[in-house]
């Protein structure tokens, strides 16, 4: 499966904590786009797509959610609930996000600009894409 958990270095003292993220260091790609997801109510789900070439890192800045990853043969669940941990998702991985806690805030770092043609939004088409 083309994913991994990245535990970021945390620097802190009595004033609080800081995590620094840099292109091609803590982040294994050049960041082209940053977006965030918030106000997703508990009971709602998001995602249900894959990307052909895009790589992403998802960070739960506040709250928690479960990300289901699927490589066409296996499904794996990852709980995001700490701002010092990122979920790297590589190319051609189906993803679904479930079990949002109230107030969950996710930040997503992406290797490319938004391009609707990059998305695979149908699971059967995703499986066909894997055959090539």
């Amino acid at each position: 499966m083309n994913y991994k958990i990245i535990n970021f270095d945390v620097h802190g003292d009595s004033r609080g904590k800081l995590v620094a993220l840099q292109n091609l260091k803590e982040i294994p790609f050049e960041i082209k786009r940053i977006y965030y997801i918030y106000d997703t109510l508990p009971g709602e789900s998001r995602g249900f797509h894959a990307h052909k070439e895009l790589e992403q890192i998802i960070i739960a800045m506040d709250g928690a959610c479960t990300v289901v990853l699927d490589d066409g043969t296996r499904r794996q669940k990852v709980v995001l609930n700490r701002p010092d941990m990122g979920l790297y998702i590589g190319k051609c991985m189906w993803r679904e996000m479930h079990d949002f806690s109230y107030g969950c805030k996710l930040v997503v770092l992406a290797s490319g600009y938004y391009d609707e043609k990059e998305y695979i939004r149908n699971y059967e088409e995703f499986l066909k894409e894997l055959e090539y």
Side-chain angles (χ1 to χ4, degrees), residues 28-42:
F29 52 79
E30 183 179 348
I31 300 167
K32 298 277 180 82
R33 182 167 61 117
I34 300 170
Y35 62 94
Y36 47 94
I37 299 167
Y38 67 102
D39 281 350
T40 302
L41 295 174

Side-chain angles (χ1 to χ4, degrees), residues 5 60 64-67 77-82 85 87 99:
I5 301 296
C65 76
T66 300
V67 180
K77 289 183 180 181
V78 177
V79 175
L80 295 179
N81 59 3
R82 296 179 14 213
M85 177 182 91
L87 172 61
D99 306 323

Side-chain angles (χ1 to χ4, degrees), residues 58-65 80-83 85 104-107:
I58 304 174
I59 303 165
M61 295 305 297
D62 195 14
C65 76
L80 295 179
N81 59 3
R82 296 179 14 213
M85 177 182 91
C104 179
K105 295 171 186 68
L106 303 177
V107 172

Side-chain angles (χ1 to χ4, degrees), residues 48 54 79 86 117 123 125:
F48 299 96
L54 191 77
V79 175
K117 294 179 287 217
Y123 188 75
E125 289 176 26

Side-chain angles (χ1 to χ4, degrees), residues 20 25-26 42 47 52 56-57 68 89 96 98 106-107 117:
K25 291 190 177 185
E26 295 82 8
K52 296 175 185 175
Q56 294 180 315
I57 291 181
V68 177
I89 304 175
E96 302 171 7
H98 305 282
L106 303 177
V107 172
K117 294 179 287 217

